[in-house]
Amino acid sequence: QVQLVESGGGLVQAGGSLRLSCAASGRTFSSYAMGWFRRTPGKEREFVAVISRGGGNTYYADSVKGRFTISRDNAKNTVYLQMNRLKPEDTAVYYCAATSGVATTTSGFYDYWGQGTQVTVSS
């Protein structure tokens, strides 16, 4: 069983930056690929980024590529999402998720989910 807790969300002006953190419980954190997803009212959950178990491979949605960076520190059981040059369309609740399978963009393959953290970007 893995518990995930996101933090770092808030209100920022367009063009600003935020760093989200996702703290995981348990001793098997390194066994999971970790993903970030986001959800806006009226829209389905959207893939944002994923990082492999050892952190050697990453993949991003086209909408955030070049602006967001996913990273992980397995010694701290934490995955991060650095968000730069934020846009109003980035406004959403951001969720981290863990999968014991192959790193994937498909939310249905993730085993554990955090409660989410709100990111609001004003214009």
Side-chain angles (χ1 to χ4, degrees), residues 77-117:
N77 279 18
T78 303
V79 62
Y80 305 94
L81 186 68
Q82 178 67 48
M83 306 185 294
N84 298 324
R85 292 181 286 141
L86 283 161
K87 304 175 180 180
E89 51 262 47
D90 295 319
T91 295
V93 177
Y94 283 71
Y95 300 87
C96 67
T99 176
S100 59
V102 177
T104 178
T105 64
T106 304
S107 62
F109 286 96
Y110 284 80
D111 304 297
Y112 305 101
W113 293 83
Q115 294 296 115
T117 185

Side-chain angles (χ1 to χ4, degrees), residues 1-85:
Q1 186 66 230
V2 176
Q3 184 178 22
L4 305 174
V5 180
E6 302 95 335
S7 63
L11 174 65
V12 297
Q13 297 282 347
S17 298
L18 282 175
R19 189 195 192 200
L20 305 184
S21 298
C22 175
S25 65
R27 53 184 276 270
T28 60
F29 177 71
S30 62
S31 297
Y32 296 89
M34 299 294 298
W36 285 96
F37 294 79
R38 64 188 182 186
R39 191 172 190 176
T40 300
K43 295 183 178 180
E44 62 186 5
R45 188 154 48 195
E46 176 188 22
F47 166 77
V48 177
V50 64
I51 188 166
S52 61
R53 295 172 179 83
N57 295 99
T58 58
Y59 183 77
Y60 300 89
D62 288 342
S63 59
V64 306
K65 188 174 296 183
R67 299 187 297 118
F68 290 11
T69 302
I70 188 172
S71 62
R72 68 190 296 163
D73 187 338
N74 286 348
K76 296 181 179 179
N77 279 18
T78 303
V79 62
Y80 305 94
L81 186 68
Q82 178 67 48
M83 306 185 294
N84 298 324
R85 292 181 286 141

